[in-house]
Amino acid sequence: MGNMNKLAAVAQIKWLCMSQNTAVVIGPFMVIGMVWGFKILYSSFGPDGKLLPVMMAMLLNLGVTMNICTNGFLMVGTAIAEEKEKHTLRVLMTSSITGMQYFIGSILYPFVFTVVINFAILWVSGIDMSQVSVPVFFLVSVIASLISCVIGMIVGICASTQMNANLIGYPLMIVFMMVPILGNMSEGLRRISGFLFTGVVTQMTDCFANGMEYKIEALDIAVLFGELIISMLVFLVMYRKNGYEKD
Amino acid sequence: MEQNVLLQLSHISKRYKTELALKDINMELHPGEILGFLGPSGAGKTTTIKIITGQLRQTSGEAKILGTDSANIDASIYERIGVVSDNSGIYEKMTVWQNLNMFAKIWRVPRTRVEEVLRQVDLSEHSKKQAGKLSKGQKQRLVLARAVLHKPRILFLDEPTSGLDPTTAVEIHKMLLDLKEEGMAIFLTTHNMEEATKLCDNVALLYQGEIVEFGSPQELCLKYNQDKRYQILLDDRKEIILEQTPENIRKIAEWMEKDQVQCIHSCEPTLESVFLQVTGKTLNAW
Ligand SMILES: Nc1ncnc2c1ncn2[C@@H]1O[C@H](COP(=O)(O)OP(=O)(O)OP(=O)(O)O)[C@@H](O)[C@H]1O
Ligand SMILES: [Mg+2]
């Protein structure tokens, strides 16, 4: 591709902007710190200083979904909103960057980080790795992170300021994060949760934590890929209508 | 299309919902030419620039830029034109150098060119400074430096000096004249008639979406300078304005003979007064 330089430049711009944003940088460390803290705290309840499976399930669930949701919905969304607020998005778009290059450049680092940090969470949680199917975890992580990043792009299109992006991003995050977590308490929520990509993630980590074999079912695959396609389509429709920024 | 026409607008109009913002705009731009759209707020200057640079679609008419119809242009056109909009931002958390370097990567511009442009806008010594900490004029110079980094054939500037102090504005003017010397064509908008007079080879007076007058600033001023008048300050501190009549000329000659004249100006109309005559409105009435 002759235009890799442009893609690389956008990704680098995004990287420089995000790495200067304290809230964004601290976020992943907080998630990892939280998982680590809980592990230390609750280990004392389990046999020989090990976490009870139910605790491990909660910990993984919370850590992984939080990581996926914050990085995508919030990090990607606010980064675009920031560019609108500071009037640099238009500058990029009038410097020969295409919509596609901006899209990929914007989600590249957040996506890679989300996947990497998911593995970090797994490691920090101290789960017995023999209970984990790494390829499946990797695959599900990758798709879930991608969906979350695309939703972040939609948040970015809708928002005009960073404040705005948070206002749109947080409710989404609460739905996608809390429904699977609360799914343990209510049958209704559990059913809805099955249709959310974060719900699929939760099911997977539950199985790992409980030492059960996780078999990814057709419905789960349909949910993951279906939501990826839906979010892409929503993004495309919105992009076609007004571009990244309404005039 | 002629080889040396970089930009050609024919019968461009733009309607926002109910409001007709541009009506039948026609113009051409040539290499090394500075063309100004001069008009009061709301005249349609920004709308014009946005249409030409592909950020907005015209309702009707045709715009050709560097030989291509604006309906068919894609992102690659921006490799050959430079755009400074009325609110072009910079990456405030990055350094001055990084701000330019990112775009150097986009356009595959060598490092030496970045250094050259930094020198041109006199920001070399601030290159490691965080861009957000620059003064307003320095920021605008950075924006300008970025827009010309890839040596565009045409540079579009939407009110490049609005809100700047006169000294900085003069620096910007000097830069633009240097760029013109290099053969770059510049299309700028302004509501400052002094700026237009000083910089532009040709000016289009834009009023309520229409070009009401077009020509070089000199041409326009002379065209509307039908009644010649003289402004005279006499020794007794009395200031008078006299029209060109035989009687008045005799009077002036008499004062001059007696050495009573402190200063004397011929009152050619400025673009401001041309605008007033053509539209019945002043340029800066908002
Ligand atoms: N997106 C829009 N929707 C509706 N009307 C618009 C829009 N953009 C501009 N207009 C209208 O079109 C007219 C021309 O606006 P434009 O921004 O081109 O003026 P301008 O000459 O650049 O003014 P200024 O000197 O204040 O920047 C104005 O009456 C404005 O209200
Ligand atoms: Mg304007």
Side-chain angles (χ1 to χ4, degrees), chain A residues 1-241:
Chain A
M1 278 226 292
N3 282 328
M4 282 310 275
N5 59 315
K6 294 186 185 175
L7 184 55
V10 177
Q12 197 179 353
I13 287 172
K14 289 287 174 180
W15 168 247
L16 283 171
C17 287
M18 286 191 281
S19 63
Q20 307 261 4
N21 189 335
T22 341
V24 166
V25 175
I26 289 179
F29 288 102
M30 277 197 7
V31 175
I32 293 176
M34 182 191 75
V35 170
W36 184 73
F38 276 132
K39 185 187 85 172
I40 302 288
L41 205 60
Y42 292 111
S43 294
S44 45
F45 298 110
D48 14 293
K50 281 204 156 186
L51 273 182
L52 287 171
V54 61
M55 279 306 191
M56 177 59 85
M58 195 203 70
L59 205 57
L60 280 182
N61 184 352
L62 198 65
V64 171
T65 50
M66 189 189 267
N67 176 45
I68 288 174
C69 291
T70 47
N71 282 351
F73 298 178
L74 295 182
M75 205 198 260
V76 173
T78 48
I80 292 169
E82 182 180 3
E83 290 219 66
K84 289 189 187 176
E85 219 175 293
K86 302 278 165 63
H87 306 291
T88 50
L89 180 54
R90 167 100 356 122
V91 176
L92 275 182
M93 300 316 277
T94 54
S95 74
S96 77
I97 295 297
T98 62
M100 184 62 140
Q101 286 159 352
Y102 188 71
F103 181 91
I104 299 176
S106 291
I107 66 172
L108 191 62
Y109 283 114
F111 166 68
V112 171
F113 278 121
T114 312
V115 175
V116 169
I117 290 165
N118 269 352
F119 273 94
I121 289 168
L122 209 57
W123 183 68
V124 168
S125 75
I127 190 170
D128 183 350
M129 285 308 272
S130 68
Q131 291 169 220
V132 177
S133 159
V134 174
V136 172
F137 184 79
F138 178 72
L139 181 81
V140 173
S141 281
V142 163
I143 297 174
S145 308
L146 212 51
I147 296 171
S148 151
C149 286
V150 178
I151 295 178
M153 291 300 289
I154 298 173
V155 171
I157 281 196
C158 296
S160 51
T161 61
Q162 295 183 73
M163 179 87 110
N164 223 229
N166 282 331
L167 265 153
I168 303 169
Y170 273 111
L172 279 175
M173 195 171 107
I174 286 173
V175 170
F176 281 99
M177 227 178 95
M178 295 317 281
V179 169
I181 288 176
L182 299 177
N184 289 332
M185 298 172 196
S186 126
E187 191 49 39
L189 282 180
R190 184 195 291 278
R191 245 191 240 133
I192 300 174
S193 159
F195 291 100
L196 298 180
F197 72 98
T198 42
V200 176
V201 175
T202 305
Q203 267 174 37
M204 175 186 67
T205 50
D206 268 355
C207 284
F208 291 163
N210 288 301
M212 298 187 296
E213 193 192 344
Y214 177 68
K215 275 219 233 63
I216 188 160
E217 285 168 23
L219 177 65
D220 298 334
I221 292 181
V223 166
L224 284 179
F225 283 95
E227 270 161 44
L228 181 59
I229 290 168
I230 291 171
S231 54
M232 293 265 207
L233 283 180
V234 171
F235 171 82
L236 271 177
V237 167
M238 297 189 74
Y239 178 75
R240 279 279 154 79
K241 207 160 146 216

